[in-house]
Amino acid sequence: MKTFSIAIHGGAGTLVKGLMTAELENEYKAALKLALDEGYRILEDGASAIDAVETAVKLLEDSPLFNAGKGSVFTAEGTHEMDAAIMDGKTLNAGAVSLVTGIKNPVSLARDVMDKSYHVFLAGEGAMKFAEDHGHGIESPDYFYDEVRYKQWQGIKDSDSFQLDHSVKKDGKFGTVGAVACDQYGNVAAATSTGGMTNKKWGRVGDSPMIGAGNYANNKTCAVSCTGSGEFFIRGVVAYDVSCLMEHKGLSLEAASDEVINKRILEINGDGGLIAVDANGNIAMPFNTEGMYRACRSSNGQEEISIYK
């Protein structure tokens, strides 16, 4: 039996320790632990990495603490537009959705796109029609309403400003969520989900649902889920870049992840982080910001739940 492992994140950015109450910090860590433990249990039971990452991300989507699913931020129109992606490193099959509204668990919709369609990426009205055809219920806007998110939006609505959820003007809730895992059979998988940026316009899409930019998995190399300033992660094709450095330059998971986050993405002024696992169960969680909500657990005894550097 190979080493199996899972890592999850709940966003990276300007997480200033002084602005976080001990109570809120405990809430974040408890939410991370719940998703981590459930994902790990699935791996421990001998199930697949793809099932583990979907389950972990669903639990993070169900928490109002993170900018995905229930905790998604408000767009310029006062709605919630969500994106998600999932990828299986064994087959290179992938599914992604963008600009979906009212979907409780966008990651599960992305999984259905992967498993039940001939396509990889569905967006907007088409993705919503697919969701309806495959039995995904539509939640009312009340389900996604959160007072902190609403105030965040009120501060910049009717302006041309937009706000990454982990930027300096923030109220204690942060970015994208994601999970990566390696199962007992050496298969890796990655899943990522987000509510985008506050006050976003024109159907803006970030890196999270883009295969190779914010989410990627390949048994030859690794599984990666990113969080940060999406436009830069798209330009840097960050998730695939880690895999590419491993495959073509022979770098280890840790060295490739570090090269991408602490050198290559910084050179184009991108900030954020990523979580990654390789087919041997090794874990990397680099970030170039003040903090990243992150957690990992491995069958070799490694375990961590952290926020700051």
Side-chain angles (χ1 to χ4, degrees), residues 72 80 94 100 116 126 128 130 139 178 187-188 220 257 288 302:
S72 295
H80 306 276
V100 298
K116 300 173 182 177
M128 293 303 295
F130 178 86
E139 301 290 338
N187 299 313
V188 300
K220 283 186 186 174
S257 301
N288 59 33
Q302 181 182 0

Side-chain angles (χ1 to χ4, degrees), residues 143-155:
Y143 174 80
F144 300 95
Y145 180 86
D146 179 85
E147 189 66 21
V148 172
R149 295 290 193 212
Y150 185 72
K151 286 178 178 172
Q152 200 177 37
W153 174 52
Q154 291 297 303

Side-chain angles (χ1 to χ4, degrees), residues 97-108:
V97 293
S98 186
L99 306 175
V100 298
T101 57
I103 302 294
K104 183 182 180 186
N105 294 116
V107 72
S108 294

Side-chain angles (χ1 to χ4, degrees), residues 19-59:
L19 295 179
M20 172 80 77
T21 65
E23 185 182 13
L24 193 56
E25 187 170 330
N26 288 337
E27 283 182 37
Y28 275 109
K29 287 184 173 177
L32 289 169
K33 187 175 188 326
L34 177 68
L36 183 72
D37 288 351
E38 193 57 26
Y40 185 82
R41 183 191 62 75
I42 287 169
L43 297 173
E44 202 170 33
D45 289 346
S48 67
I50 200 81
D51 287 342
V53 296
E54 181 190 3
T55 298
V57 168
K58 278 173 71 175
L59 286 166

Side-chain angles (χ1 to χ4, degrees), residues 5 42 109 122 149 151 185 203 205 212 217 244 276 285 297:
S5 57
I42 287 169
L109 181 56
L122 301 181
R149 295 290 193 212
K151 286 178 178 172
Y185 317 102
V205 178
C244 200
M285 302 191 294
R297 190 173 173 192

